[in-house]
Amino acid sequence: MLRVEELEATLPSMTQWRATVHRSVDWAALAADLGTALPSDYRSLADAYPVLVIDDFLTVSVPTPGAEVRWASASRGDEILQDLYEMGDTEGYVPFPQPGGLIGWAASNSGDSFYWRTSPADPDAWPVVVRGDNGDWSEFPVGAVEFLAGVYGRNIDVPGMPRDFPSDDPKVLGLSDRID
C-alpha cells in the first residue's frame, strides 16, 4: 500500500495544505456509524489533509474532524449511485451497505465518481472503482492513495477521462475544515 509521502512526491503542490498537527478524525465513530472501517492509506491521507481539489478537476472527500457522522451518512446515502443501481446502470456493482457495495471517496467536476468496492473484507485490499461521466465503469486493484499517485504520475490510465486529464502541472487546493 502506497504511503501519503509517495503521493506528495507525485503532487508536490499538495504539501502546502498538509496539516501542521494531526487532524484528529474520529475513525472509531466513523466506522461505527458507517458500518465498516476505511482503508489505512485513506485514513493517513485524511489525518494529514483536508478535502483536496486536484487540478481544479478531482475533489477528494475526507471527513472533517467533528463531522464524521455526516461523512458516513453521505457515504451510505449516495443517491446518484442508488439511482444508477435502480436503473440497472451499475454493471453489477451495488451500493454500500450491500455486501461488496461501493463507497465514494472522490468525484470530478464533470460527473466522474470514484469509489471503493468493499470486498474483500480487509479494507486495505479494496480496489478503486471509477464510473466515468460517460457511463463507463473501470476497476483498479489499488488503494486510493496509490490510485491518485498512479493517475497523476501517468502510470494509471482511466478510460473516459477528459483528454487533458491529468494536466502537465497539476495544482492542488486544500479546502477548509470549518464546520458550519
Side-chain angles (χ1 to χ4, degrees), residues 13-160:
S13 68
M14 75 184 278
T15 59
Q16 66 183 313
W17 305 107
R18 186 181 254 282
T20 55
V21 295
H22 191 269
R23 291 183 62 246
S24 302
V25 174
D26 186 342
W27 294 109
L30 191 146
D33 196 69
L34 185 59
T36 185
L38 295 176
S40 61
D41 67 326
Y42 175 80
R43 292 191 318 261
S44 293
L45 179 67
D47 283 338
Y49 285 96
V51 170
L52 296 173
V53 180
I54 305 172
D55 219 15
D56 198 28
F57 177 74
L58 180 68
T59 300
V60 179
S61 171
V62 297
T64 300
E68 295 86 356
V69 170
R70 186 179 342 169
W71 193 95
S73 177
S75 295
R76 268 193 327 278
D78 186 329
E79 293 178 16
I80 294 171
L81 180 58
Q82 185 63 41
D83 289 346
L84 290 169
Y85 177 69
E86 290 171 4
M87 293 184 308
D89 190 20
T90 58
E91 293 191 14
Y93 292 107
V94 297
F96 186 81
Q98 293 184 52
L102 300 179
I103 296 176
W105 58 271
S108 79
N109 63 10
S110 65
D112 309 289
S113 299
F114 300 79
Y115 303 97
W116 293 290
R117 180 174 48 84
T118 59
S119 176
D122 177 8
D124 286 341
W126 292 350
V128 167
V129 174
V130 179
R131 182 190 185 273
D133 72 331
N134 59 1
D136 288 346
W137 290 84
S138 305
E139 187 168 318
F140 302 88
V142 297
V145 170
E146 186 172 348
F147 176 81
L148 292 170
V151 166
Y152 287 97
R154 299 184 186 280
N155 299 315
I156 293 177
D157 181 47
V158 183

